[in-house]
Amino acid sequence: MSLKNMNVLVMGAGIGIGAAITRRLAQEGANLILLLTHRAQAESGPIDALINNAGLALGAPAAFSDLKIRGVVTMTGTNINGYMLATYAVLNDGGMRERGKGTLLKVTSTTALDDPPFPGESIYHATRRFQEGFTDALRT
Ligand SMILES: NC(=O)c1ccc[n+]([C@@H]2O[C@H](COP(=O)([O-])OP(=O)(O)OC[C@H]3O[C@@H](n4cnc5c(N)ncnc54)[C@H](OP(=O)(O)O)[C@@H]3O)[C@@H](O)[C@H]2O)c1
């Protein structure tokens, strides 16, 4: 797939995997719209691809009952609402639904596919399971 001149929205582009994906997309000639910290309004015209990469794990290996509520809310807000609403934005404001095409690429975790290998990952694991279920349903 040629990425030249595609409009790509990257969530969590500042560091890590998102930054590496962004550099490669730039080399391939994509037009980049980058989310660094605050959520983007898709006002940049049609979006061809979304790299849904922003996410985080907080508090592990602490057990659920020892987690800070602020951390739980940040994790669910980012990994569930952020993930879901970014998808909603590119489908509607980004025009994918109207044009009947577009690419949704998720960066999630293998923890979504199995039971967690250690305790203390309850919320992180559950949010990744949400992403799998949401993506499967959306694909259908
Ligand atoms: N590295 C791993 O071993 C691993 C394993 C499994 C899954 N993952 C997942 O893969 C993705 C990328 O991992 P990484 O290692 O590159 O992580 P990272 O270095 O921690 O980068 C995470 C990115 O997500 C952004 N982000 C976090 N919370 C956000 C929020 N509330 N709103 C907007 N942006 C937010 C950060 O933005 P700022 O720079 O603005 O803070 C950052 O750019 C994440 O979803 C991570 O959970 C990583």
Side-chain angles (χ1 to χ4, degrees):
M1 177 171 83
S2 170
L3 298 170
K4 195 164 175 53
N5 293 327
M6 280 183 74
N7 294 336
V8 184
L9 172 60
V10 186
M11 313 296 288
I15 53 175
I17 295 170
I21 291 174
T22 298
R23 280 194 293 275
R24 182 58 191 265
L25 288 167
Q27 285 169 10
E28 299 282 337
N31 302 320
L32 296 170
I33 304 111
L34 308 179
L35 181 95
L36 298 175
T37 300
H38 301 291
R39 197 138 298 128
Q41 287 284 334
E43 290 173 350
S44 45
I47 303 288
D48 299 305
L50 168 68
I51 313 296
N52 222 344
N53 163 78
L56 74 180
L58 299 174
F64 171 63
S65 50
D66 292 326
L67 290 177
K68 299 275 184 275
I69 289 298
R70 181 184 293 269
V72 170
V73 170
T74 300
M75 248 190 300
T76 55
T78 304
N79 297 359
I80 293 180
N81 288 342
Y83 183 85
M84 180 174 58
L85 296 176
T87 305
Y88 191 88
V90 296
L91 289 173
N92 290 312
D93 299 342
M96 286 185 183
R97 186 172 173 205
E98 191 179 345
R99 285 177 288 126
K101 64 176 186 178
T103 299
L104 303 174
L105 188 145
K106 63 176 175 163
V107 179
T108 176
S109 171
T110 52
T111 193
L113 306 175
D114 241 324
D115 288 336
F118 51 85
E121 226 188 27
S122 50
I123 300 300
Y124 179 72
H125 174 75
T127 63
R128 295 311 191 180
R129 280 274 173 99
F130 167 87
Q131 294 179 344
E132 284 300 310
F134 175 68
T135 304
D136 287 346
L138 200 64
R139 187 183 297 116
T140 303

